[in-house]
Amino acid sequence: MNYPSLEACLIDLEKNGQLIRIKEEVDPYLEMAAIHLRVYEAKGPALLFENVKGSKFRAASNIFGTLERSKFIFRDTIASVQQLIELKNDPIKAIKSPLQNASAALAALKALPLKNPWSKPVMYEEINISDLPLIQHWPMDGGAFVTLPQVYTEDIDQPGIMKSNLGMYRIQLNGNDYVKDKEIGLHYQLHRGIGVHQTKANAKGQPLKVSCFVGGPPSHTLSAVMPLPEGISEMTFAGVLGGRRFRYTYDDGYCISTDADFVITGEVYPGENKPEGPFGDHLGYYSLKHDFPLMKVHKVYAKKDAIWSFTVVGRPPQEDTSFGELIHEITGAAIPQEVPGLKEIHAVDAAGVHPLLLAVGSERYTPYTPTKQPAELLTIANHVLGTGQLSLAKFLFIAADDTNQLRAHHVFDFMKYVLERINLQRDIHFYTNTTIDTLDYSGTGLNTGSKVVLAAYGAPIRTLATEVPAVLNDLTSFEQAKLVMPGVVAIKTKPFTNYETVKEEMKMLNYQLHESVDQLKGVAILVVCDDSAFVAANMRNYLWVTYTRCNPSHDMHGIKESFVNKHWGCEGPLVIDARIKPHHAPPVEKDPAVEKRIDRIFAKGGSLQNIA
C-alpha cells in the first residue's frame, strides 16, 4: 500500500485486525507509555489513543511493534527496495537481468522528491508546543519527548533537499530550563549527519535551520532511522519505500514535509546549549542530564485531524527492536558490501545495540600456511569500527568459518563458536581512550571510553564447560557461581566501590585461582556481577548486564594475565566485571502506581480487555 498519510496506514491496519482504538481518556504523563509497553510485551496491535488528556490531538503507537506488521505495511515495496540496494552494490545485475530488475527501475522513479508549493495540508493550522500530546515515558524523565521525530537539516554550503539529512534525534518539548513554547532541546549523538551541518553553520557564525516532522506516511518515519549506504538520500529512500514521492515545500526558509501530521521549525544558534534529559533510553538505563543544542521554536504546524506518532524505548526488546529487524530485512546485504571480507554483522538488540556487535568475516590472506589464526579478521574489525554508526560499538566479536555455516544472528551458537576457538593470550585487542555511544555510561565520560575486539578462527582449542567447575564454588569473597551458557560462568561478589579496590579484588581472585587454571580450561569468560542468578537466568540477561555495564579497558581482567610487548592476554578465563558502578546511569523501572491505574483499560469492558 502506498499510504499518502499516517491515518491511511492506521485505517488499513484496523481493517486487517492490527489496530485497536483506545476511547478512554488517558494521561500523557506515564499512562500512555505504560499502556504501550504492556501491549508491546503482549505482541499486541497498533494503538490509536483517541482521548489524550490535555490535548485535542490523537496519538498512535506500536505501529511497527512486530516485524510481521512492519512487513505488512511495506508489503508492496519492500522487494523493490531490496533490489535497488543490491543493484547499487552490483549494478551489472541490471544489465544481465533487465526484465527481472524492471520493477526496481520503476520503483526508482518514486525516489525524486516532489516540490509541492500548491498543496500544504500540514499547514492547516499553526499551534503551540503546549498543544501537542506531551508524553512523558518514564518517572525520572526530564519532561515530554518526541520519540519518533524526523529531524531535517540542510548543508549550509550546499543547500537543497538532495544534500539534506533526515535523522531520528530525540526532541525534549518541555521541562528543565526550557522557556515554554519558545525553546526545545535537540539531542543528537556522535557520527550523525546533523553534526556536520551544525559544524558548518557554526563556522560561518550562522544559526542552523531545523525542521522536525512527526507522523506522515510510515515510510518517512522509517527513513529517518535507516543506516543508509553512503550516497543514498533519506528523502529518496522514503519515496521508494513508500511508493510515493516525498512531498515538500519551503516556508520562511524552512523545509516543510507537506504530508507530515506535524512540523516544528526552529533555529539552533552557535554555542547556545541547555541541559537536556534525563531520558529512559534504549539501553535500558536513563541517559542523564547534559548540555545539548537549544532549538528556538519558530512555528509549529498541524494538519487537520493530525495524529501524533510515538514509541517508548527502554530495556530491549521494545518497538525499536522491530525497527532493527526490519532494517536488517531491507539492508542486510548492503553493509557487508561496504566492508571487504565482511559476510554478516549483527548489532545485538538484547545488549542495547551499540555495546555489542557480532560479525562473520573471511580469512583469505595466507591459504598456504597450515596455522589458522585471525589475520584478515583484524583488518575487517578495524574497518567495521571505522564505519558510520558501527564505530560506536564497544565489544566486537568477530569470527571466520570456512564452511560458511556460522551466522551472527544466531547469538548463542555464534558465541559458543567463538569461545571454543579464541586464544585469550593472543586474540583480544583493545582500543583505549576513544569514543563510544553517547548513551553508554560505562565509560570514563560522555562519549568516551574504550573498545575491544575478540577474534576467533581455526579449530576448537577448548571443550566448553557445561557445569560450574568445583573450584569456583569454594572461593573467598566470590560466591554463587552459576553457569550462563557453555564456557561462561557468572559469579557474585560484593558491590563495586572504586577501581583501587578492584585491583585488590582481582589480585585476590587470581591468588585463589592461579594454581587451578587447568581446572578452568572449559571456562572462557567469568562474569563478576551483583546478581549471578539474574545473569544466568537467560541469554537476554547475560547480554544486557555483561555488555552494558563494562568498559573494556577498565573492567576486563584475566586469570594469570600478562603483557607481552604491550599486548595483553590471560592464560585462564577472561574476567568481565559487570557490576553496577557509581558513575553508571540508573536502569529504567516501571511505576507500580501507574501500572495499577492503567488496569482499567485492560479490564472487562475496557478498550484493551482482550490484551493480556
Side-chain angles (χ1 to χ4, degrees), residues 177-462:
D177 298 325
Y178 299 121
V179 177
K180 181 181 178 181
D181 292 327
K182 302 295 183 183
E183 297 176 346
I184 57 179
L186 172 58
H187 178 288
Y188 66 84
Q189 298 151 246
L190 291 175
H191 303 289
R192 300 302 199 267
I194 188 175
V196 176
H197 289 176
Q198 188 180 358
T199 298
K200 288 187 175 185
N202 287 354
K204 293 180 179 291
Q206 297 180 20
L208 178 70
K209 289 187 180 297
V210 179
S211 301
C212 175
F213 316 140
V214 180
S219 60
H220 295 190
T221 299
L222 187 63
S223 296
V225 77
M226 287 291 294
L228 295 174
E230 192 73 26
I232 297 182
S233 158
E234 289 91 359
M235 305 308 170
T236 59
F237 184 84
V240 175
L241 183 62
R244 172 186 168 85
R245 294 170 69 182
F246 184 94
R247 287 157 166 77
Y248 71 101
T249 189
Y250 282 90
D251 183 73
D252 296 338
Y254 295 91
C255 183
I256 305 291
S257 169
T258 58
D259 285 337
D261 284 71
F262 300 87
V263 174
I264 304 170
T265 60
E267 292 181 312
V268 175
Y269 285 81
E272 292 199 22
N273 303 321
K274 274 194 175 182
E276 184 266 1
F279 177 74
D281 226 313
H282 69 259
L283 268 70
Y285 307 90
Y286 286 94
S287 55
L288 303 180
K289 188 184 292 187
H290 299 283
D291 284 351
F292 277 96
L294 174 69
M295 181 171 161
K296 295 186 176 180
V297 177
H298 177 65
K299 290 181 180 178
V300 185
Y301 299 107
K303 70 186 296 183
K304 187 178 181 181
D305 299 321
I307 299 172
W308 182 262
S309 58
F310 74 98
T311 189
V312 183
V313 292
R315 183 187 166 189
Q318 299 293 351
E319 186 179 1
D320 54 342
T321 301
S322 302
F323 266 127
E325 292 171 341
L326 182 62
I327 288 168
H328 176 72
E329 188 90 12
I330 295 171
T331 66
I335 292 176
Q337 292 291 334
E338 298 281 311
V339 180
L342 181 64
K343 296 179 180 179
E344 185 186 9
I345 194 157
H346 176 41
V348 180
D349 181 72
V353 183
H354 288 312
L356 177 61
L357 288 184
L358 309 182
V360 178
S362 308
E363 276 297 344
R364 304 165 297 183
Y365 280 0
T366 54
Y368 50 82
T369 177
T371 302
K372 292 187 174 184
Q373 69 181 63
E376 184 179 3
L377 287 179
L378 303 181
T379 301
I380 296 167
N382 284 327
H383 198 151
V384 166
L385 293 178
T387 301
Q389 292 185 35
L390 296 177
S391 65
L392 298 177
K394 186 170 59 174
F395 284 85
L396 171 57
F397 285 77
I398 186 166
D401 169 29
D402 294 335
T403 69
N404 290 317
Q405 294 184 23
L406 185 63
R407 295 291 177 268
H409 282 72
H410 299 165
V411 177
F412 180 91
D413 293 337
F414 180 92
M415 295 293 283
K416 184 171 179 288
Y417 181 95
V418 169
L419 298 181
E420 287 173 335
R421 290 163 175 79
I422 188 168
N423 182 326
L424 297 174
Q425 292 177 293
R426 182 192 66 201
D427 296 336
I428 301 175
H429 304 271
F430 289 91
Y431 301 70
T432 61
N433 295 320
T434 187
T435 56
I436 60 173
D437 188 2
T438 306
L439 307 179
D440 189 336
Y441 283 83
S442 67
T444 52
L446 188 67
N447 298 323
T448 60
S450 62
K451 307 178 188 298
V452 66
V453 171
L454 299 99
Y457 178 54
I461 62 172
R462 68 176 60 81

Side-chain angles (χ1 to χ4, degrees), residues 475 478 503-517 557-562 568 570-573 575:
L475 299 174
F478 296 87
K503 291 179 183 178
E504 297 306 313
E505 291 169 339
M506 290 302 118
K507 281 182 182 178
M508 177 183 290
L509 185 60
N510 260 283
Y511 176 78
Q512 295 182 77
L513 296 177
H514 191 269
E515 302 301 326
S516 306
V517 168
H557 312 275
I559 303 303
K560 295 189 75 171
E561 64 184 3
S562 62
W568 181 92
C570 56
E571 186 177 334
V575 179

Side-chain angles (χ1 to χ4, degrees), residues 59-270:
S61 76
N62 207 35
I63 300 164
F64 305 97
T66 67
L67 177 60
E68 292 72 27
R69 183 153 62 248
S70 298
K71 291 171 71 173
F72 174 82
I73 290 171
F74 301 114
R75 60 194 179 276
D76 293 337
T77 59
I78 195 168
S80 298
V81 173
Q82 289 168 325
Q83 269 190 302
L84 281 171
I85 289 174
E86 283 188 29
L87 288 175
K88 181 182 182 296
N89 294 323
D90 187 9
I92 201 70
K93 283 184 180 179
I95 300 171
K96 290 179 177 177
S97 309
L99 294 178
Q100 291 179 16
N101 294 296
S103 62
L106 290 172
L109 295 176
K110 305 288 187 181
L112 192 64
L114 176 64
K115 196 169 185 180
N116 195 25
W118 54 89
S119 177
K120 306 175 184 178
V122 75
M123 298 173 73
Y124 171 77
E125 62 177 326
E126 190 174 331
I127 61 172
N128 293 313
I129 293 291
S130 54
D131 295 322
L132 299 169
L134 298 175
I135 302 170
Q136 179 164 332
H137 300 81
W138 296 100
M140 289 173 56
D141 282 357
F145 287 82
V146 190
T147 51
L148 287 179
Q150 306 152 40
V151 181
Y152 176 97
T153 57
E154 294 186 2
D155 187 326
I156 200 166
D157 293 330
Q158 302 178 78
I161 199 164
M162 296 310 291
K163 296 290 184 179
S164 64
N165 178 75
L166 189 73
M168 192 166 284
Y169 316 122
R170 74 174 186 243
I171 304 287
Q172 184 169 347
L173 295 172
N174 64 6
N176 296 349
D177 298 325
Y178 299 121
V179 177
K180 181 181 178 181
D181 292 327
K182 302 295 183 183
E183 297 176 346
I184 57 179
L186 172 58
H187 178 288
Y188 66 84
Q189 298 151 246
L190 291 175
H191 303 289
R192 300 302 199 267
I194 188 175
V196 176
H197 289 176
Q198 188 180 358
T199 298
K200 288 187 175 185
N202 287 354
K204 293 180 179 291
Q206 297 180 20
L208 178 70
K209 289 187 180 297
V210 179
S211 301
C212 175
F213 316 140
V214 180
S219 60
H220 295 190
T221 299
L222 187 63
S223 296
V225 77
M226 287 291 294
L228 295 174
E230 192 73 26
I232 297 182
S233 158
E234 289 91 359
M235 305 308 170
T236 59
F237 184 84
V240 175
L241 183 62
R244 172 186 168 85
R245 294 170 69 182
F246 184 94
R247 287 157 166 77
Y248 71 101
T249 189
Y250 282 90
D251 183 73
D252 296 338
Y254 295 91
C255 183
I256 305 291
S257 169
T258 58
D259 285 337
D261 284 71
F262 300 87
V263 174
I264 304 170
T265 60
E267 292 181 312
V268 175
Y269 285 81

